[in-house]
PDB file of all heavy atoms in Angstrom:
ATOM      1  N   GLU A  97    -102.094  28.518  -3.281  1.00  0.00           N
ATOM      2  CA  GLU A  97    -101.751  27.257  -3.938  1.00  0.00           C
ATOM      3  C   GLU A  97    -100.359  27.286  -4.563  1.00  0.00           C
ATOM      4  O   GLU A  97     -99.618  26.321  -4.500  1.00  0.00           O
ATOM      5  CB  GLU A  97    -102.805  26.936  -5.002  1.00  0.00           C
ATOM      6  CG  GLU A  97    -102.710  25.541  -5.584  1.00  0.00           C
ATOM      7  CD  GLU A  97    -103.122  24.448  -4.605  1.00  0.00           C
ATOM      8  OE1 GLU A  97    -103.622  24.779  -3.501  1.00  0.00           O
ATOM      9  OE2 GLU A  97    -102.949  23.275  -4.936  1.00  0.00           O
ATOM     10  N   SER A  98    -100.004  28.409  -5.179  1.00  0.00           N
ATOM     11  CA  SER A  98     -98.680  28.527  -5.816  1.00  0.00           C
ATOM     12  C   SER A  98     -98.049  29.862  -5.418  1.00  0.00           C
ATOM     13  O   SER A  98     -98.156  30.854  -6.147  1.00  0.00           O
ATOM     14  CB  SER A  98     -98.813  28.429  -7.339  1.00  0.00           C
ATOM     15  OG  SER A  98     -99.391  27.196  -7.721  1.00  0.00           O
ATOM     16  N   PRO A  99     -97.396  29.925  -4.268  1.00  0.00           N
ATOM     17  CA  PRO A  99     -96.816  31.203  -3.807  1.00  0.00           C
ATOM     18  C   PRO A  99     -95.621  31.663  -4.615  1.00  0.00           C
ATOM     19  O   PRO A  99     -95.242  32.835  -4.557  1.00  0.00           O
ATOM     20  CB  PRO A  99     -96.415  30.903  -2.364  1.00  0.00           C
ATOM     21  CG  PRO A  99     -96.181  29.421  -2.337  1.00  0.00           C
ATOM     22  CD  PRO A  99     -97.175  28.841  -3.297  1.00  0.00           C
ATOM     23  N   GLY A 100     -95.023  30.741  -5.400  1.00  0.00           N
ATOM     24  CA  GLY A 100     -93.850  31.114  -6.186  1.00  0.00           C
ATOM     25  C   GLY A 100     -92.719  31.591  -5.283  1.00  0.00           C
ATOM     26  O   GLY A 100     -92.529  31.090  -4.179  1.00  0.00           O
ATOM     27  N   LEU A 101     -91.989  32.603  -5.763  1.00  0.00           N
ATOM     28  CA  LEU A 101     -90.877  33.151  -4.982  1.00  0.00           C
ATOM     29  C   LEU A 101     -91.270  34.392  -4.195  1.00  0.00           C
ATOM     30  O   LEU A 101     -90.417  35.067  -3.627  1.00  0.00           O
ATOM     31  CB  LEU A 101     -89.711  33.483  -5.916  1.00  0.00           C
ATOM     32  CG  LEU A 101     -89.036  32.291  -6.593  1.00  0.00           C
ATOM     33  CD1 LEU A 101     -87.961  32.772  -7.564  1.00  0.00           C
ATOM     34  CD2 LEU A 101     -88.425  31.348  -5.571  1.00  0.00           C
ATOM     35  N   ASN A 102     -92.579  34.695  -4.167  1.00  0.00           N
ATOM     36  CA  ASN A 102     -93.020  35.891  -3.448  1.00  0.00           C
ATOM     37  C   ASN A 102     -92.572  35.934  -1.993  1.00  0.00           C
ATOM     38  O   ASN A 102     -92.251  37.013  -1.486  1.00  0.00           O
ATOM     39  CB  ASN A 102     -94.537  36.033  -3.539  1.00  0.00           C
ATOM     40  CG  ASN A 102     -94.964  36.728  -4.823  1.00  0.00           C
ATOM     41  OD1 ASN A 102     -94.528  37.823  -5.118  1.00  0.00           O
ATOM     42  ND2 ASN A 102     -95.814  36.067  -5.588  1.00  0.00           N
ATOM     43  N   PRO A 103     -92.532  34.787  -1.273  1.00  0.00           N
ATOM     44  CA  PRO A 103     -92.040  34.842   0.109  1.00  0.00           C
ATOM     45  C   PRO A 103     -90.595  35.320   0.215  1.00  0.00           C
ATOM     46  O   PRO A 103     -90.182  35.814   1.270  1.00  0.00           O
ATOM     47  CB  PRO A 103     -92.169  33.388   0.585  1.00  0.00           C
ATOM     48  CG  PRO A 103     -93.279  32.833  -0.238  1.00  0.00           C
ATOM     49  CD  PRO A 103     -93.095  33.462  -1.597  1.00  0.00           C
ATOM     50  N   ASN A 104     -89.830  35.201  -0.870  1.00  0.00           N
ATOM     51  CA  ASN A 104     -88.450  35.691  -0.872  1.00  0.00           C
ATOM     52  C   ASN A 104     -88.354  37.164  -1.272  1.00  0.00           C
ATOM     53  O   ASN A 104     -87.369  37.835  -0.953  1.00  0.00           O
ATOM     54  CB  ASN A 104     -87.593  34.870  -1.833  1.00  0.00           C
ATOM     55  CG  ASN A 104     -87.515  33.413  -1.435  1.00  0.00           C
ATOM     56  OD1 ASN A 104     -88.217  32.586  -2.010  1.00  0.00           O
ATOM     57  ND2 ASN A 104     -86.700  33.089  -0.458  1.00  0.00           N
ATOM     58  N   LEU A 105     -89.383  37.651  -1.971  1.00  0.00           N
ATOM     59  CA  LEU A 105     -89.373  39.044  -2.412  1.00  0.00           C
ATOM     60  C   LEU A 105     -90.022  39.966  -1.389  1.00  0.00           C
ATOM     61  O   LEU A 105     -89.575  41.095  -1.185  1.00  0.00           O
ATOM     62  CB  LEU A 105     -90.099  39.167  -3.762  1.00  0.00           C
ATOM     63  CG  LEU A 105     -89.614  38.259  -4.890  1.00  0.00           C
ATOM     64  CD1 LEU A 105     -90.379  38.557  -6.172  1.00  0.00           C
ATOM     65  CD2 LEU A 105     -88.125  38.401  -5.112  1.00  0.00           C
ATOM     66  N   PHE A 106     -91.094  39.474  -0.755  1.00  0.00           N
ATOM     67  CA  PHE A 106     -91.818  40.259   0.250  1.00  0.00           C
ATOM     68  C   PHE A 106     -92.092  39.363   1.451  1.00  0.00           C
ATOM     69  O   PHE A 106     -93.231  38.939   1.686  1.00  0.00           O
ATOM     70  CB  PHE A 106     -93.123  40.791  -0.339  1.00  0.00           C
ATOM     71  CG  PHE A 106     -92.925  41.655  -1.561  1.00  0.00           C
ATOM     72  CD1 PHE A 106     -93.059  41.119  -2.832  1.00  0.00           C
ATOM     73  CD2 PHE A 106     -92.589  42.985  -1.435  1.00  0.00           C
ATOM     74  CE1 PHE A 106     -92.879  41.909  -3.961  1.00  0.00           C
ATOM     75  CE2 PHE A 106     -92.392  43.786  -2.552  1.00  0.00           C
ATOM     76  CZ  PHE A 106     -92.537  43.240  -3.822  1.00  0.00           C
ATOM     77  N   PRO A 107     -91.056  39.052   2.225  1.00  0.00           N
ATOM     78  CA  PRO A 107     -91.180  38.054   3.291  1.00  0.00           C
ATOM     79  C   PRO A 107     -91.921  38.514   4.537  1.00  0.00           C
ATOM     80  O   PRO A 107     -92.350  37.694   5.341  1.00  0.00           O
ATOM     81  CB  PRO A 107     -89.730  37.717   3.619  1.00  0.00           C
ATOM     82  CG  PRO A 107     -88.984  38.979   3.302  1.00  0.00           C
ATOM     83  CD  PRO A 107     -89.679  39.561   2.107  1.00  0.00           C
ATOM     84  N   PHE A 108     -92.050  39.824   4.726  1.00  0.00           N
ATOM     85  CA  PHE A 108     -92.713  40.305   5.935  1.00  0.00           C
ATOM     86  C   PHE A 108     -93.378  41.641   5.642  1.00  0.00           C
ATOM     87  O   PHE A 108     -93.126  42.280   4.608  1.00  0.00           O
ATOM     88  CB  PHE A 108     -91.733  40.437   7.106  1.00  0.00           C
ATOM     89  CG  PHE A 108     -90.473  41.189   6.780  1.00  0.00           C
ATOM     90  CD1 PHE A 108     -90.408  42.567   6.936  1.00  0.00           C
ATOM     91  CD2 PHE A 108     -89.343  40.515   6.314  1.00  0.00           C
ATOM     92  CE1 PHE A 108     -89.248  43.262   6.636  1.00  0.00           C
ATOM     93  CE2 PHE A 108     -88.180  41.205   6.016  1.00  0.00           C
ATOM     94  CZ  PHE A 108     -88.132  42.582   6.170  1.00  0.00           C
ATOM     95  N   GLU A 109     -94.236  42.056   6.549  1.00  0.00           N
ATOM     96  CA  GLU A 109     -95.023  43.271   6.369  1.00  0.00           C
ATOM     97  C   GLU A 109     -94.106  44.495   6.287  1.00  0.00           C
ATOM     98  O   GLU A 109     -93.115  44.603   7.004  1.00  0.00           O
ATOM     99  CB  GLU A 109     -95.998  43.422   7.542  1.00  0.00           C
ATOM    100  CG  GLU A 109     -97.039  44.516   7.362  1.00  0.00           C
ATOM    101  CD  GLU A 109     -98.011  44.569   8.530  1.00  0.00           C
ATOM    102  OE1 GLU A 109     -97.712  43.961   9.573  1.00  0.00           O
ATOM    103  OE2 GLU A 109     -99.042  45.211   8.395  1.00  0.00           O
ATOM    104  N   ASN A 110     -94.449  45.400   5.368  1.00  0.00           N
ATOM    105  CA  ASN A 110     -93.746  46.682   5.200  1.00  0.00           C
ATOM    106  C   ASN A 110     -92.313  46.532   4.698  1.00  0.00           C
ATOM    107  O   ASN A 110     -91.510  47.461   4.832  1.00  0.00           O
ATOM    108  CB  ASN A 110     -93.737  47.485   6.506  1.00  0.00           C
ATOM    109  CG  ASN A 110     -95.144  47.855   6.958  1.00  0.00           C
ATOM    110  OD1 ASN A 110     -96.010  48.134   6.132  1.00  0.00           O
ATOM    111  ND2 ASN A 110     -95.375  47.836   8.260  1.00  0.00           N
ATOM    112  N   VAL A 111     -91.955  45.373   4.150  1.00  0.00           N
ATOM    113  CA  VAL A 111     -90.625  45.237   3.565  1.00  0.00           C
ATOM    114  C   VAL A 111     -90.531  46.121   2.327  1.00  0.00           C
ATOM    115  O   VAL A 111     -91.484  46.237   1.555  1.00  0.00           O
ATOM    116  CB  VAL A 111     -90.329  43.764   3.201  1.00  0.00           C
ATOM    117  CG1 VAL A 111     -91.266  43.267   2.117  1.00  0.00           C
ATOM    118  CG2 VAL A 111     -88.884  43.618   2.722  1.00  0.00           C
ATOM    119  N   LYS A 112     -89.393  46.787   2.150  1.00  0.00           N
ATOM    120  CA  LYS A 112     -89.210  47.668   1.005  1.00  0.00           C
ATOM    121  C   LYS A 112     -88.458  46.925  -0.087  1.00  0.00           C
ATOM    122  O   LYS A 112     -87.331  46.478   0.110  1.00  0.00           O
ATOM    123  CB  LYS A 112     -88.449  48.932   1.411  1.00  0.00           C
ATOM    124  CG  LYS A 112     -88.317  49.960   0.283  1.00  0.00           C
ATOM    125  CD  LYS A 112     -87.611  51.222   0.757  1.00  0.00           C
ATOM    126  CE  LYS A 112     -87.477  52.231  -0.387  1.00  0.00           C
ATOM    127  NZ  LYS A 112     -86.784  53.467   0.032  1.00  0.00           N
ATOM    128  N   ASN A 113     -89.115  46.800  -1.237  1.00  0.00           N
ATOM    129  CA  ASN A 113     -88.475  46.139  -2.367  1.00  0.00           C
ATOM    130  C   ASN A 113     -89.135  46.631  -3.646  1.00  0.00           C
ATOM    131  O   ASN A 113     -90.276  47.092  -3.634  1.00  0.00           O
ATOM    132  CB  ASN A 113     -88.610  44.618  -2.264  1.00  0.00           C
ATOM    133  CG  ASN A 113     -87.585  43.887  -3.123  1.00  0.00           C
ATOM    134  OD1 ASN A 113     -86.678  44.506  -3.703  1.00  0.00           O
ATOM    135  ND2 ASN A 113     -87.713  42.582  -3.215  1.00  0.00           N
ATOM    136  N   PHE A 114     -88.404  46.536  -4.749  1.00  0.00           N
ATOM    137  CA  PHE A 114     -88.949  46.896  -6.050  1.00  0.00           C
ATOM    138  C   PHE A 114     -88.718  45.726  -7.002  1.00  0.00           C
ATOM    139  O   PHE A 114     -87.650  45.102  -6.990  1.00  0.00           O
ATOM    140  CB  PHE A 114     -88.283  48.159  -6.592  1.00  0.00           C
ATOM    141  CG  PHE A 114     -88.505  49.366  -5.719  1.00  0.00           C
ATOM    142  CD1 PHE A 114     -87.480  49.856  -4.921  1.00  0.00           C
ATOM    143  CD2 PHE A 114     -89.733  50.000  -5.687  1.00  0.00           C
ATOM    144  CE1 PHE A 114     -87.675  50.961  -4.108  1.00  0.00           C
ATOM    145  CE2 PHE A 114     -89.943  51.108  -4.880  1.00  0.00           C
ATOM    146  CZ  PHE A 114     -88.917  51.590  -4.090  1.00  0.00           C
ATOM    147  N   VAL A 115     -89.729  45.448  -7.832  1.00  0.00           N
ATOM    148  CA  VAL A 115     -89.682  44.296  -8.717  1.00  0.00           C
ATOM    149  C   VAL A 115     -90.104  44.715 -10.121  1.00  0.00           C
ATOM    150  O   VAL A 115     -91.151  45.343 -10.298  1.00  0.00           O
ATOM    151  CB  VAL A 115     -90.617  43.173  -8.215  1.00  0.00           C
ATOM    152  CG1 VAL A 115     -90.634  42.008  -9.196  1.00  0.00           C
ATOM    153  CG2 VAL A 115     -90.180  42.697  -6.834  1.00  0.00           C
ATOM    154  N   ILE A 116     -89.277  44.392 -11.101  1.00  0.00           N
ATOM    155  CA  ILE A 116     -89.645  44.577 -12.505  1.00  0.00           C
ATOM    156  C   ILE A 116     -90.309  43.292 -12.974  1.00  0.00           C
ATOM    157  O   ILE A 116     -89.748  42.208 -12.828  1.00  0.00           O
ATOM    158  CB  ILE A 116     -88.409  44.868 -13.380  1.00  0.00           C
ATOM    159  CG1 ILE A 116     -87.767  46.203 -12.980  1.00  0.00           C
ATOM    160  CG2 ILE A 116     -88.794  44.906 -14.860  1.00  0.00           C
ATOM    161  CD1 ILE A 116     -86.444  46.478 -13.664  1.00  0.00           C
ATOM    162  N   THR A 117     -91.525  43.417 -13.501  1.00  0.00           N
ATOM    163  CA  THR A 117     -92.229  42.224 -13.965  1.00  0.00           C
ATOM    164  C   THR A 117     -92.490  42.314 -15.464  1.00  0.00           C
ATOM    165  O   THR A 117     -92.783  43.389 -15.996  1.00  0.00           O
ATOM    166  CB  THR A 117     -93.559  42.030 -13.202  1.00  0.00           C
ATOM    167  OG1 THR A 117     -94.191  40.834 -13.645  1.00  0.00           O
ATOM    168  CG2 THR A 117     -94.509  43.192 -13.432  1.00  0.00           C
ATOM    169  N   CYS A 118     -92.349  41.183 -16.142  1.00  0.00           N
ATOM    170  CA  CYS A 118     -92.620  41.077 -17.579  1.00  0.00           C
ATOM    171  C   CYS A 118     -93.585  39.917 -17.803  1.00  0.00           C
ATOM    172  O   CYS A 118     -93.783  39.081 -16.927  1.00  0.00           O
ATOM    173  CB  CYS A 118     -91.338  40.813 -18.369  1.00  0.00           C
ATOM    174  SG  CYS A 118     -90.041  42.048 -18.150  1.00  0.00           S
ATOM    175  N   HIS A 119     -94.176  39.869 -18.987  1.00  0.00           N
ATOM    176  CA  HIS A 119     -95.055  38.740 -19.277  1.00  0.00           C
ATOM    177  C   HIS A 119     -94.237  37.480 -19.541  1.00  0.00           C
ATOM    178  O   HIS A 119     -93.045  37.550 -19.852  1.00  0.00           O
ATOM    179  CB  HIS A 119     -95.990  39.043 -20.457  1.00  0.00           C
ATOM    180  CG  HIS A 119     -95.301  39.318 -21.754  1.00  0.00           C
ATOM    181  ND1 HIS A 119     -94.528  38.394 -22.410  1.00  0.00           N
ATOM    182  CD2 HIS A 119     -95.281  40.430 -22.536  1.00  0.00           C
ATOM    183  CE1 HIS A 119     -94.073  38.902 -23.540  1.00  0.00           C
ATOM    184  NE2 HIS A 119     -94.496  40.150 -23.633  1.00  0.00           N
ATOM    185  N   GLY A 120     -94.881  36.336 -19.414  1.00  0.00           N
ATOM    186  CA  GLY A 120     -94.199  35.064 -19.628  1.00  0.00           C
ATOM    187  C   GLY A 120     -93.994  34.769 -21.103  1.00  0.00           C
ATOM    188  O   GLY A 120     -94.275  35.598 -21.971  1.00  0.00           O
ATOM    189  N   LEU A 121     -93.506  33.581 -21.377  1.00  0.00           N
ATOM    190  CA  LEU A 121     -93.188  33.189 -22.752  1.00  0.00           C
ATOM    191  C   LEU A 121     -94.407  32.573 -23.434  1.00  0.00           C
ATOM    192  O   LEU A 121     -95.217  31.910 -22.803  1.00  0.00           O
ATOM    193  CB  LEU A 121     -92.030  32.195 -22.749  1.00  0.00           C
ATOM    194  CG  LEU A 121     -90.742  32.657 -22.060  1.00  0.00           C
ATOM    195  CD1 LEU A 121     -89.669  31.589 -22.176  1.00  0.00           C
ATOM    196  CD2 LEU A 121     -90.254  33.971 -22.666  1.00  0.00           C
ATOM    197  N   GLY A 122     -94.497  32.798 -24.743  1.00  0.00           N
ATOM    198  CA  GLY A 122     -95.548  32.158 -25.526  1.00  0.00           C
ATOM    199  C   GLY A 122     -96.829  32.951 -25.636  1.00  0.00           C
ATOM    200  O   GLY A 122     -97.819  32.463 -26.190  1.00  0.00           O
ATOM    201  N   GLY A 123     -96.842  34.175 -25.143  1.00  0.00           N
ATOM    202  CA  GLY A 123     -98.047  34.990 -25.244  1.00  0.00           C
ATOM    203  C   GLY A 123     -98.193  35.603 -26.631  1.00  0.00           C
ATOM    204  O   GLY A 123     -97.285  35.583 -27.456  1.00  0.00           O
ATOM    205  N   SER A 124     -99.374  36.172 -26.893  1.00  0.00           N
ATOM    206  CA  SER A 124     -99.649  36.774 -28.202  1.00  0.00           C
ATOM    207  C   SER A 124     -99.502  38.289 -28.189  1.00  0.00           C
ATOM    208  O   SER A 124     -99.373  38.911 -29.240  1.00  0.00           O
ATOM    209  CB  SER A 124    -101.070  36.409 -28.643  1.00  0.00           C
ATOM    210  OG  SER A 124    -102.032  36.876 -27.704  1.00  0.00           O
ATOM    211  N   LYS A 125     -99.529  38.892 -26.998  1.00  0.00           N
ATOM    212  CA  LYS A 125     -99.462  40.348 -26.904  1.00  0.00           C
ATOM    213  C   LYS A 125     -98.019  40.835 -27.037  1.00  0.00           C
ATOM    214  O   LYS A 125     -97.067  40.084 -26.822  1.00  0.00           O
ATOM    215  CB  LYS A 125    -100.045  40.822 -25.571  1.00  0.00           C
ATOM    216  CG  LYS A 125    -101.512  40.486 -25.375  1.00  0.00           C
ATOM    217  CD  LYS A 125    -101.999  41.034 -24.052  1.00  0.00           C
ATOM    218  CE  LYS A 125    -103.487  40.790 -23.838  1.00  0.00           C
ATOM    219  NZ  LYS A 125    -103.785  39.357 -23.642  1.00  0.00           N
ATOM    220  N   ASN A 126     -97.886  42.112 -27.389  1.00  0.00           N
ATOM    221  CA  ASN A 126     -96.556  42.709 -27.474  1.00  0.00           C
ATOM    222  C   ASN A 126     -95.926  42.780 -26.082  1.00  0.00           C
ATOM    223  O   ASN A 126     -96.618  42.770 -25.066  1.00  0.00           O
ATOM    224  CB  ASN A 126     -96.645  44.113 -28.083  1.00  0.00           C
ATOM    225  CG  ASN A 126     -96.990  44.081 -29.559  1.00  0.00           C
ATOM    226  OD1 ASN A 126     -96.671  43.107 -30.258  1.00  0.00           O
ATOM    227  ND2 ASN A 126     -97.650  45.120 -30.039  1.00  0.00           N
ATOM    228  N   HIS A 127     -94.610  42.878 -26.068  1.00  0.00           N
ATOM    229  CA  HIS A 127     -93.869  42.888 -24.810  1.00  0.00           C
ATOM    230  C   HIS A 127     -94.368  43.976 -23.867  1.00  0.00           C
ATOM    231  O   HIS A 127     -94.631  45.108 -24.273  1.00  0.00           O
ATOM    232  CB  HIS A 127     -92.384  43.108 -25.082  1.00  0.00           C
ATOM    233  CG  HIS A 127     -91.569  43.277 -23.834  1.00  0.00           C
ATOM    234  ND1 HIS A 127     -91.193  42.223 -23.045  1.00  0.00           N
ATOM    235  CD2 HIS A 127     -91.085  44.399 -23.242  1.00  0.00           C
ATOM    236  CE1 HIS A 127     -90.503  42.674 -22.012  1.00  0.00           C
ATOM    237  NE2 HIS A 127     -90.416  43.995 -22.116  1.00  0.00           N
ATOM    238  N   SER A 128     -94.513  43.611 -22.603  1.00  0.00           N
ATOM    239  CA  SER A 128     -94.928  44.563 -21.574  1.00  0.00           C
ATOM    240  C   SER A 128     -94.047  44.403 -20.347  1.00  0.00           C
ATOM    241  O   SER A 128     -93.573  43.305 -20.048  1.00  0.00           O
ATOM    242  CB  SER A 128     -96.390  44.325 -21.173  1.00  0.00           C
ATOM    243  OG  SER A 128     -97.289  44.679 -22.197  1.00  0.00           O
ATOM    244  N   THR A 129     -93.871  45.484 -19.643  1.00  0.00           N
ATOM    245  CA  THR A 129     -93.139  45.443 -18.382  1.00  0.00           C
ATOM    246  C   THR A 129     -93.716  46.479 -17.444  1.00  0.00           C
ATOM    247  O   THR A 129     -94.233  47.516 -17.876  1.00  0.00           O
ATOM    248  CB  THR A 129     -91.635  45.690 -18.607  1.00  0.00           C
ATOM    249  OG1 THR A 129     -90.933  45.529 -17.376  1.00  0.00           O
ATOM    250  CG2 THR A 129     -91.382  47.089 -19.141  1.00  0.00           C
ATOM    251  N   LEU A 130     -93.664  46.191 -16.159  1.00  0.00           N
ATOM    252  CA  LEU A 130     -94.198  47.104 -15.155  1.00  0.00           C
ATOM    253  C   LEU A 130     -93.424  46.908 -13.863  1.00  0.00           C
ATOM    254  O   LEU A 130     -93.054  45.776 -13.529  1.00  0.00           O
ATOM    255  CB  LEU A 130     -95.687  46.829 -14.923  1.00  0.00           C
ATOM    256  CG  LEU A 130     -96.474  47.868 -14.117  1.00  0.00           C
ATOM    257  CD1 LEU A 130     -96.513  49.204 -14.842  1.00  0.00           C
ATOM    258  CD2 LEU A 130     -97.903  47.380 -13.872  1.00  0.00           C
ATOM    259  N   ILE A 131     -93.177  47.978 -13.141  1.00  0.00           N
ATOM    260  CA  ILE A 131     -92.466  47.892 -11.877  1.00  0.00           C
ATOM    261  C   ILE A 131     -93.462  48.034 -10.728  1.00  0.00           C
ATOM    262  O   ILE A 131     -94.475  48.724 -10.856  1.00  0.00           O
ATOM    263  CB  ILE A 131     -91.373  48.985 -11.775  1.00  0.00           C
ATOM    264  CG1 ILE A 131     -90.407  48.689 -10.620  1.00  0.00           C
ATOM    265  CG2 ILE A 131     -91.973  50.376 -11.663  1.00  0.00           C
ATOM    266  CD1 ILE A 131     -89.158  49.557 -10.625  1.00  0.00           C
ATOM    267  N   THR A 132     -93.193  47.356  -9.631  1.00  0.00           N
ATOM    268  CA  THR A 132     -94.091  47.407  -8.485  1.00  0.00           C
ATOM    269  C   THR A 132     -93.291  47.302  -7.191  1.00  0.00           C
ATOM    270  O   THR A 132     -92.150  46.840  -7.193  1.00  0.00           O
ATOM    271  CB  THR A 132     -95.124  46.264  -8.548  1.00  0.00           C
ATOM    272  OG1 THR A 132     -95.940  46.296  -7.368  1.00  0.00           O
ATOM    273  CG2 THR A 132     -94.433  44.910  -8.619  1.00  0.00           C
ATOM    274  N   LYS A 133     -93.916  47.736  -6.117  1.00  0.00           N
ATOM    275  CA  LYS A 133     -93.323  47.566  -4.787  1.00  0.00           C
ATOM    276  C   LYS A 133     -94.176  46.622  -3.945  1.00  0.00           C
ATOM    277  O   LYS A 133     -94.026  46.547  -2.736  1.00  0.00           O
ATOM    278  CB  LYS A 133     -93.176  48.911  -4.075  1.00  0.00           C
ATOM    279  CG  LYS A 133     -94.476  49.645  -3.824  1.00  0.00           C
ATOM    280  CD  LYS A 133     -94.240  50.935  -3.047  1.00  0.00           C
ATOM    281  CE  LYS A 133     -95.557  51.664  -2.775  1.00  0.00           C
ATOM    282  NZ  LYS A 133     -95.348  52.913  -1.996  1.00  0.00           N
TER     283      LYS A 133
END
C-alpha cells in the first residue's frame, strides 16, 4: 500500500546497499538508530 522510497533503495534482487534508519518525529521513546542491508 505504501512502498515509500524502498524501490529506490533496493530496486532489484541481491542489490547491495546499506541504510541507516532512525525513528520518526513525535515519538515518546529515546532516540534510536539501526543500520540494515
Side-chain angles (χ1 to χ4, degrees):
E97 191 71 7
S98 301
L101 294 176
N102 276 305
N104 298 101
L105 306 183
F106 302 97
F108 50 89
E109 190 177 15
N110 297 324
V111 64
K112 185 177 179 180
N113 200 7
F114 298 105
V115 176
I116 295 172
T117 182
C118 303
H119 61 63
L121 304 182
S124 59
K125 298 182 177 69
N126 290 332
H127 174 78
S128 290
T129 185
L130 192 64
I131 194 169
T132 177
K133 61 177 181 179

